[in-house]
């Protein structure tokens, strides 16, 4: 395909070469703090800007837990989370669209709302970035593309290894719809994240490239995988080096890891990526340690703990983008920002 210059976020590569940029923390963790019930997920009790009124009052099934729906029913909650992370020093914030694909939303009977969820979520993130951006400190909205609950590489039936519950084409169509809406809503960057199945990710990346060619737009693409256990592999079986080899053809702005193991156990795999992924930037946004249901955030690490570990990555010259995943809050992001503020970014001879 013909290469095009970035049509948005043209300044971002230079920023990443100059300093370590800060990504936001966990959307889900912050949503949990609002302790919303079933009726609040449906929009009851909110009549402010963007209110859905009684649109979802009688929608069948349970909707609590469908965090992407909150962009339509409680935009005030999503906007306040964005503002909290931006105030804590985030340079990039993710849209509330991790599960906003037709494939994921089908679990709630809301597949037909996926496009609207992405469009509205992108507009909320765009507005938040515009509120906090200054000429010296631009803020960027990253359109988040999650992995979906289905895997194109692994059978859901232990008795039938050839069985699949989703096809590459179904994933491609779902992701294309998501990308189109995110870009229309005003995102600066596209972030394919929490990748446990590289084939799912390749469907997302194919859809992105397809959209770029059709639209004339070309946004920076960030890619982030997740190592699922101490074997150092993604769930579909690849090492991080093999994962990079599978996606490098799209020439992403960054490649990295998030979620899963937490920073302490993630370090050797970030080191491996930093070694093999020449010519691109490296991102790292780990969980706040391991899950702990007794903790306020559901995870063990305090802001001091997580920021100390991430600082080690930065001090070693491994990273260009850092932030937090599950269990992290604006306090974590502020602490991470302070911890890496005097560290130099990983050198990357990035060329587009």
């Amino acid at each position: 395909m013909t290469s095009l210059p970035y049509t948005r976020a043209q300044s971002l590569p230079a920023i990443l070469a100059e300093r370590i940029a800060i990504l936001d923390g966990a959307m889900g963790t912050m949503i949990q703090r609002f302790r919303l019930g079933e009726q609040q997920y449906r929009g009851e009790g909110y009549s402010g800007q963007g209110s859905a009124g009684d649109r979802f009052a009688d929608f069948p099934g349970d909707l609590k837990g469908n965090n992407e729906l909150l962009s339509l029913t409680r935009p005030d909650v999503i906007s306040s989370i964005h503002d909290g992370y931006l105030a804590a020093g985030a340079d990039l914030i993710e849209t509330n669209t991790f599960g906003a694909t037709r494939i994921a939303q089908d679990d709630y009977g809301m597949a037909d709302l996926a496009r609207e969820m992405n469009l509205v979520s992108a507009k909320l993130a765009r507005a938040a970035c515009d509120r906090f951006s200054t000429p010296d400190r631009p803020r960027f909205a990253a359109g988040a593309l999650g992995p979906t609950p289905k895997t194109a590489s692994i059978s859901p039936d232990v008795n039938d290894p050839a069985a699949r519950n989703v096809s590459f084409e179904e994933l491609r169509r779902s992701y294309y719809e998501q990308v189109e809406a995110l870009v229309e809503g005003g995102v600066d960057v596209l972030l394919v994240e929490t990748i446990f199945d590289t084939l799912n990710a390749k469907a997302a990346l194919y859809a992105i490239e397809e959209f770029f060619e059709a639209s004339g737009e070309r946004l920076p693409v960030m890619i982030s995988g997740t190592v699922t256990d101490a074997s150092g592999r993604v769930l579909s079986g690849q090492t991080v080096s093999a994962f990079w080899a599978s996606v490098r053809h799209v020439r992403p702005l960054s490649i990295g890891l998030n979620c899963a193991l937490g920073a302490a156990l993630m370090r050797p795999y970030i080191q491996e990526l930093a070694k093999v992924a020449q010519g691109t930037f490296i991102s790292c946004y780990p969980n706040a340690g391991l899950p702990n249901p007794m903790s306020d955030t559901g995870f063990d690490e305090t802001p001091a703990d997580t920021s100390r570990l991430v600082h080690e990555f930065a001090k070693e010259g491994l990273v260009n983008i850092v932030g937090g995943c599950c269990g992290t809050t604006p306090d974590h992001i502020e602490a991470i920002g302070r911890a890496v503020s005097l560290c130099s970014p990983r050198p990357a001879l990035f060329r587009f």
Side-chain angles (χ1 to χ4, degrees), residues 1 204-214 218 221 249-250:
M1 295 183 180
L205 296 171
Y206 187 96
I208 288 170
E209 290 294 327
E210 186 180 28
F211 173 79
F212 286 167
E213 186 163 302
R218 180 164 288 271
V221 175
H249 63 282
V250 302

Side-chain angles (χ1 to χ4, degrees), residues 151-166:
T151 168
S153 295
I154 301 170
S155 172
D157 183 355
V158 294
N159 297 312
D160 184 2
R164 297 291 185 271
N165 58 9
V166 71

